[in-house]
């Protein structure tokens, strides 16, 4: 292929020009088996094709054809930001091609790129909903039009293609569009921002990939313009919703629309890194700390208001009304990853693990053909299965739906799974850092020479005995993250116990062929208590096992019992199962009060049964059910 | 005045042609002092004038002038249902005139009626947002246009005028409009309904007041048409939102948009009564029972989702996210009142008392110049005072706002307070039933002759010794409601203890001049425990005193302490204060966890202070604060 470029050291979705940790690209690390390989295979064999089929069927891809042939003003399918779904799919395809090189997928990718490229206008502008006769003018609705948001996703797709070794048509489309955006919104352009952040991180990365400082400067400008109440507010959406209430560098905590907040924070971290802006980086670290301490669900999910898909107040974390949008969790991974690269601190990798395994992986159904958009932590009523052939109107369906009118989540899951290997490890001059446990092979070069690593996850996340085989030319330091939950973890190398500091077990050595670092992580199920300040969770406890949050699903309860009647007898032991736990569950008799408030605490008779708790991310794969993570603490059965 | 008509026996806002209890009109009962008189005076001297001034200032009344002079299509102020606010104000003015006869108010009322009447079109249609060149066509947006909804409020205003003894211009405007609506939507008209129920109960009452069976039949038709998915749904609003998912007679519980649900239920009860439809009445009683048992806040407020202003699932009653719209509470009072008239069961009067005193009265600020739209039961963050001269964009402000872009609540409060005397008592052939405690004078006629009653509320709702002086020509039965909360209440007449059954103390006698029934209601503050199935309230308790729900407001806590840090030591006694209680409040030290979930229950050091708890409806009258009703149960201090 004539468009192939040198892949060495190209990095993953993020490759800062300066960072504490250096990300590894697909040429340096690949997942070889186990849990995460299964997720990537599901993505390759089901999710990507599902997204492509749906967007073809309902005309979202056809919009580009109609834009090319001049008919899109009369007939445009979907809302005004559906272009972005096509771009996220292209990004997913590009990363997946970097992983598998599948020939059929390559053909599908190129065909789709050609259709997108056909819609680009002479001056580089590319959007199917704006600017033609009969459509609204370009940039006439920056609050809600999502034009720059869509461009950003196109840029990220182009970065994926470039970083997997191609400088082909999509990259050129992106370059022409980015030049247009720079002219329109750069220093000599209009003083404006997009209602939905996303282009900031995308421009920065495109500017890094193509070595184009103007794009990186525009990312900076757009971040700095925000927070000065430029965007018109509405009856329900104020400046906070748009993150336009306070400049990024002055904010204390994330707030407003959770996806917007996370995408902006990711882009602002890129800007801080690119321009050595320590003040901005410190502000973002503070925002991360405060958001994690007060506005994050146990799953890593964020956004506790359905209204406006927003964060709630501090410690306002209702399980039953958790919105916890899949895309917000993905945005959180993006933000944490950028801070990890800039600081090397394990807490960011801890949250990435928690969020990927629980808040992101809960979205796709086990067959990869239906998705959660919002991810409740407590399903009160047994829903019904959405029709397989219908677009779901509402984000909040009780069961996973095949597609949505606003369908940001399926394609976001696809691009995340396709690039998930990028989160596994990093390098420095001194050595290599393993942040996530996946069966993987890694080859890179550090100051002392080549290093080759094979990680055996040992059945993780269900088992706790990963091992790391290392071979190095010179002395290198191999750091392995010990998760914060893994109290009492043991790490051994050459029959010695390795000390753990700052969240990493660090071994410095000249490693012989296949010398192994061996971990023992405590995988007994454990009780996890919410902070007493979380009103919605008072008197409850969750069960976790390893990195997995577990849940009780009515499917596993005695017939006719839903989760509104259960509690957990914490005097009885939790027992490990193959992939979860079992607990002594107290089941109360149904109630029949005519007024749900009374002069004494209500007590009913209770029976106890041992019930399996399953990984939260796997719930609702066995038909309609009710579910809860936090279990009321019942008196001993 | 030539338009004055005979007022005898005209009834209040509701006067069914057949009912177990007969409502009393303003000519039969008036409030003479005490708590409710103060509310009515606030309404007369502040709220009504405030609404009039605001709607004049921001052009909502001016819309009618511009409709009359043909310029409204170019310039219309406010959203498409602001006509209804003017009508609710007219209703408030009409009831208030029936109470006070104030001459200046009469002039203001007539002037306003003339301006409204000027906008009526030749065929009776009357709406400032639709139907003129440059406006959308009539009935082109039944889902969201609120045309019939606005008409309904006009009809209710006309009923108020008629029932207070006038058949003047507003009544004629209403009659012409109702004739138009019958032609358009009646048996020979279009098979359609309005997105927002309201016209059903209004048509029924106008049909009763004007003795026009066609209007009553149209009310029936509109109720029966609903629930068959005629209304177009949107991305966020499904058929349930519109109560268009299930026919009224087939529903088990109220659901969807809470105000719509309550207005529809009120109208459906009217239909059931009018047409002797026992099946429909039974369905509504079941819906009331299930809604009260599972979907009602302690305050009587309803609607636990901000999203769509909807009911939540059963027992989904988060205090902090309580939407509990003022108008929904008023709708609940309307529904309960109609069921009380049809059944004579005390539980409906119990809920009316709870809802009026707590969920409705919390809306107006103590000066009557600012209002809550949504009424949280737990304010987490100290808000700021909205500017007195500005329209509030958002319904959810932390402090009461002077006016809203959607400003349904202030005028709804005004019409409710102006007609609140109608809820105090009813009559039957046998006697009189007192449902609410207000200082009041009542004169009516029953089968055995005239009866005259003076109620001394005895400082109610702060004190528990109401007494009822009765004088009757023949033997009559006087029934006094004993609230469900008043366990151990004593009632005495002629030195005998009166037995209580079915929620009423009933005395049958030929009463001598000023013979008194005396009550002793227990007014000690009491702990009220939520049902263990209410997840959001687990481990908390509320304090009530008499009919009032109390709350802790940060204003009453030690400096710098907000309600996120408090609990109640239930081992210490509650003490009564003049209008509330004091409790032993445990105050925890501020927390500083980096992750709000941990392997053991968190414990901090705690101090205890005795703190006043005030009536919930009076909170936020002393500047920005935090507040909560349900207090975490702390270990003994």
């Amino acid at each position: 292929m004539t468009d192939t470029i040198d892949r060495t050291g190209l990095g993953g979705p993020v490759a800062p020009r300066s960072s504490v940790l250096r990300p590894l690209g697909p040429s340096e690390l690949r997942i070889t088996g186990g849990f995460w390989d299964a997720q990537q295979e599901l993505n390759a064999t089901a999710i990507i094709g599902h997204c492509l089929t749906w967007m073809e069927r309902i005309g979202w891809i056809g919009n580009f054809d109609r834009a090319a042939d001049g008919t899109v003003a009369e007939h445009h399918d979907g809302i005004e930001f559906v272009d972005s779904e096509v771009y996220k799919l292209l990004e997913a395809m590009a990363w997946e091609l970097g992983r598998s090189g599948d020939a059929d997928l390559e053909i599908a990718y190129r065909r789709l790129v050609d259709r997108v490229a056909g819609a680009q206008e002479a001056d580089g502008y590319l959007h199917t909903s704006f600017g033609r006769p009969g459509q609204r003018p370009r940039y006439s609705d920056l609050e809600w039009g999502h034009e720059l948001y869509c461009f950003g996703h196109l840029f990220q797709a182009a970065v994926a293609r470039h970083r997997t070794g191609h400088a082909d048509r999509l990259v050129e489309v992106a370059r022409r569009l980015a030049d247009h955006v720079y002219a329109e919104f750069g220093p000599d352009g209009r003083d404006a921002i997009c209602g939905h952040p996303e282009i900031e991180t995308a421009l920065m990365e495109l500017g890094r990939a193509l070595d184009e400082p103007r794009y990186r400067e525009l990312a900076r400008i757009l971040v700095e313009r925000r927070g000065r109440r430029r965007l018109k507010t509405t009856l329900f959406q104020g400046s906070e919703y748009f993150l336009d209430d306070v400049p990024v560098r002055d904010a204390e905590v994330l707030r407003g629309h959770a996806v917007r907040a996370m995408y902006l924070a990711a882009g602002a971290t890129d800007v801080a890194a690119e321009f050595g802006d320590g003040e901005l980086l410190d502000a973002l670290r503070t925002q991360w700390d405060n958001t994690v301490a007060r506005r994050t669900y146990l799953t890593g999910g964020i956004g506790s208001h359905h209204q406006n898909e927003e964060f709630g107040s501090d410690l306002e974390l209702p399980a039953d009304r958790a919105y916890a949008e899949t895309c917000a969790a993905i945005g959180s991974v993006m933000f944490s990853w950028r801070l990890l690269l800039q600081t090397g601190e394990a807490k960011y990798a801890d949250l990435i693990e928690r969020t990927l395994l629980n808040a992101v992986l809960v979205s796709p159904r086990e067959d990869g053909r239906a998705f959660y958009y919002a991810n409740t932590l407590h399903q009160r009523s047994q829903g019904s299965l959405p029709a397989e052939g219908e677009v779901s109107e509402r984000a909040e369906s009780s069961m996973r739906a095949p597609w949505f009118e606003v369908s940001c989540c399926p394609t976001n899951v696809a691009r995340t799974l396709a690039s998930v290997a990028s989160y596994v490890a990093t390098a420095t001059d001194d050595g290599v850092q393993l942040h996530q446990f996946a069966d993987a092979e890694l080859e890179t070069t550090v100051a002392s020479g080549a290093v080759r690593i094979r990680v055996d996850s040992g059945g993780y996340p269900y088992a706790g005995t990963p091992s790391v085989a290392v071979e190095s030319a010179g002395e290198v330091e191999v750091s392995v993250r010990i998760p914060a939950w893994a109290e009492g973890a043991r790490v051994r190398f050459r029959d010695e116990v390795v000390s753990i500091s700052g969240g990493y077990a660090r071994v410095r050595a000249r490693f012989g062929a296949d010398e192994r670092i061996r971990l023992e992580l405590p995988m007994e199920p454990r009780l996890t208590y919410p902070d007493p300040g979380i009103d919605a969770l008072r008197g409850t406890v969750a069960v976790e096992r390893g990195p997995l949050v577990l849940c009780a699903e009515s499917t596993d309860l005695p017939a006719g019992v839903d989760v509104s009647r259960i509690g957990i007898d914490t005097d009885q032991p939790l027992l490990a199962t193959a992939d979860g736990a079992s607990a002594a569950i107290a089941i109360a008799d149904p109630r029949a009060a005519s007024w749900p408030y009374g002069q004494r605490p209500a007590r009913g008779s209770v029976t106890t049964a041992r019930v399996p708790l399953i990984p939260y991310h796997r719930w609702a794969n066995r038909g309609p059910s009710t579910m809860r993570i936090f279990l009321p603490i019942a008196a001993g059965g």
Side-chain angles (χ1 to χ4, degrees), chain A:
Chain A
M1 289 186 286
T2 56
D3 61 16
T4 301
I5 57 177
D6 179 8
R7 290 168 62 164
T8 310
L10 284 170
V14 193
R17 298 194 307 147
S18 154
S19 59
V20 171
L21 307 180
R22 178 173 68 80
L24 302 177
S27 64
E28 295 171 296
L29 185 144
R30 65 188 190 90
I31 293 173
T32 53
F35 182 88
W36 282 112
D37 184 61
Q39 306 303 322
Q40 292 201 302
E41 279 299 309
L42 181 71
N43 194 42
T45 59
I47 296 176
I48 287 175
H50 177 87
C51 293
L52 188 61
T53 304
W54 265 96
M55 290 199 283
E56 195 70 86
R57 181 183 146 206
I58 61 177
W60 296 4
I61 297 173
N63 287 334
F64 291 96
D65 305 333
R66 289 189 293 276
D69 72 16
T71 60
V72 74
E74 292 117 71
H75 174 193
H76 182 277
D77 284 314
I79 46 168
E80 58 268 84
F81 49 93
V82 294
D83 290 1
S84 69
E85 307 314 334
V86 179
Y87 303 151
K88 279 189 285 184
L89 176 62
L90 281 174
E91 183 185 346
M93 293 166 94
W95 290 121
E96 174 57 25
L97 282 167
R99 188 183 82 98
S100 71
D102 183 271
D104 289 341
L105 183 63
E106 177 75 28
I107 292 167
Y109 167 85
R110 288 178 179 236
R111 280 193 186 141
L112 187 50
V113 167
D114 286 343
R115 292 167 76 182
V116 167
Q120 189 166 34
E121 301 190 39
D123 65 351
Y125 181 87
L126 174 45
H127 200 292
T128 65
S129 290
F130 288 89
R132 295 167 192 81
Q135 293 185 320
R136 286 182 289 170
R138 293 178 185 179
Y139 310 126
S140 58
D141 182 12
L142 285 169
E143 283 77 11
W144 299 102
H146 288 76
E147 285 161 280
L148 304 194
Y149 167 87
C150 290
F151 301 166
H153 280 301
L154 187 147
F155 298 160
Q156 289 182 317
V159 167
R161 189 61 172 169
H162 195 267
R163 294 245 166 93
T164 49
H166 304 272
D168 63 3
R169 192 168 185 191
L170 184 65
V171 176
E172 286 316 303
V173 168
R175 189 193 299 271
R176 289 178 56 212
L177 177 55
D179 287 343
H180 161 82
V181 175
Y182 185 81
E184 290 286 335
F185 291 87
D188 303 326
R190 64 192 83 199
D191 179 16
I193 56 176
C194 180
H196 200 312
E198 150 59 33
I199 196 171
E200 298 81 0
T201 192
L203 273 171
M204 180 61 75
E205 218 55 46
L206 188 69
R208 290 165 174 168
L210 303 186
D211 198 15
E212 176 48 81
R214 289 179 306 139
Y215 305 164
R216 305 196 297 261
E217 172 62 12
L218 183 53
R220 190 192 66 74
I221 289 171
L222 292 175
V223 166
E224 294 293 354
R225 273 184 198 154
R226 208 167 193 97
R228 297 165 206 280
R229 299 183 187 271
R230 275 180 177 77
L231 295 167
K232 272 201 305 288
T233 59
T234 74
L235 191 57
F236 289 106
Q237 287 88 20
S239 293
E240 181 178 297
Y241 171 86
F242 292 113
L243 282 301
D244 194 30
D245 54 336
V246 176
V248 177
R249 65 178 65 248
D250 298 334
E252 294 278 319
V253 68
L254 297 182
R255 67 226 171 272
H257 186 269
V259 179
R260 283 170 165 81
M262 285 299 176
Y263 284 4
L264 178 63
T269 308
D270 292 335
V271 168
E274 180 71 18
F275 296 96
D277 188 338
E279 181 194 86
L280 181 58
L281 185 65
D282 286 348
L284 289 157
R285 294 178 66 175
T286 299
Q287 290 164 37
W288 188 96
D289 286 345
N290 287 334
T291 303
V292 171
R294 306 181 205 150
R295 301 187 174 189
T296 302
Y297 284 103
L298 182 63
T299 56
I302 46 168
S304 54
H305 287 186
H306 285 235
Q307 180 79 46
N308 287 343
E309 305 177 313
E310 284 187 340
F311 283 98
S313 302
D314 285 350
L315 300 186
E316 188 191 330
L317 293 163
D320 52 356
R321 289 297 283 169
Y323 195 69
E325 184 180 336
T326 304
C327 290
I330 289 170
S332 165
V333 171
M334 291 166 58
F335 181 32
S336 293
W337 177 244
R338 284 156 177 79
L339 288 176
L340 177 62
L341 295 180
Q342 290 307 314
T343 65
E345 292 182 23
K347 64 183 178 184
Y348 301 114
D350 281 341
L351 189 68
I352 288 171
E353 169 170 73
R354 179 177 292 280
T355 306
L356 282 176
L357 278 171
N358 299 288
V360 176
L361 279 194
V362 67
S363 174
R365 195 169 62 195
E366 60 187 6
D367 68 357
R369 300 185 187 283
F371 301 83
Y372 276 128
Y373 183 122
N375 297 285
T376 187
L377 277 70
H378 178 178
Q379 179 67 34
R380 295 181 165 280
S381 55
Q382 189 170 296
S384 54
L385 218 52
E388 288 296 314
E390 280 176 27
V391 176
S392 185
E393 277 192 345
R394 298 188 69 159
E396 314 162 22
S397 58
S398 53
M399 299 293 287
R400 296 175 182 90
W403 205 254
F404 302 90
E405 291 202 5
V406 172
S407 209
C408 43
C409 298
T411 54
N412 225 348
V413 167
R415 69 176 184 142
T416 302
L417 291 180
S419 60
V420 76
S422 63
Y423 300 115
V424 169
T426 55
T428 60
D429 287 349
D430 287 346
V432 171
Q433 302 78 40
L434 295 175
H435 305 291
Q436 306 300 335
F437 299 107
D439 297 76
E441 287 186 8
L442 182 163
E443 284 187 55
T444 191
T445 305
V446 298
S448 66
V451 55
R452 179 158 181 267
I453 291 179
R454 276 174 297 128
V455 183
D456 177 348
S457 72
Y460 197 87
Y462 305 119
T465 53
S467 63
V468 184
V470 186
E471 193 174 345
S472 65
E475 186 177 88
V476 301
E477 183 182 78
V478 174
S479 303
V480 183
R481 182 179 62 95
I482 306 304
W485 56 261
E487 249 181 76
R490 309 258 295 183
V491 183
R492 287 193 174 80
F493 179 66
R494 292 180 185 163
D495 295 329
E496 308 241 330
V497 172
V498 180
S499 69
I500 300 165
S501 72
Y504 289 88
R506 298 184 197 274
V507 179
R508 178 177 286 273
R510 182 185 304 264
F511 291 85
D514 283 4
E515 278 203 310
R516 280 181 185 273
I517 303 168
R518 294 181 189 277
L519 281 70
E520 292 165 33
L521 304 174
M523 298 301 282
E524 298 77 34
R526 60 190 192 278
L527 295 172
T528 300
Y529 293 86
D531 187 289
I534 305 178
D535 286 292
L537 301 179
R538 184 169 292 109
T540 70
V541 67
V543 179
E544 294 183 279
R545 179 162 179 260
L548 297 174
V549 175
L550 306 185
C551 69
E553 188 175 2
S554 57
T555 321
D556 296 311
L557 295 171
V561 176
D562 75 75
V563 299
S564 71
R565 289 165 52 196
I566 66 170
I568 182 169
D569 179 353
T570 55
D571 294 340
Q572 303 298 317
L574 297 168
L575 304 176
T577 62
D579 57 4
S582 80
I585 294 294
I587 300 166
D589 290 345
R591 50 177 295 291
S594 59
W595 177 239
Y597 311 94
Q599 261 44 79
R600 4 195 124 65
R603 302 224 183 280
S605 61
V606 162
T607 56
T608 301
R610 189 153 279 275
V611 168
L613 306 178
I614 64 164
Y616 166 68
H617 77 246
R618 291 231 304 272
W619 87 278
N621 273 303
R622 297 171 290 173
S625 62
T626 62
M627 179 278 301
R628 65 187 303 162
I629 288 175
F630 287 94
L631 303 167
I633 298 171

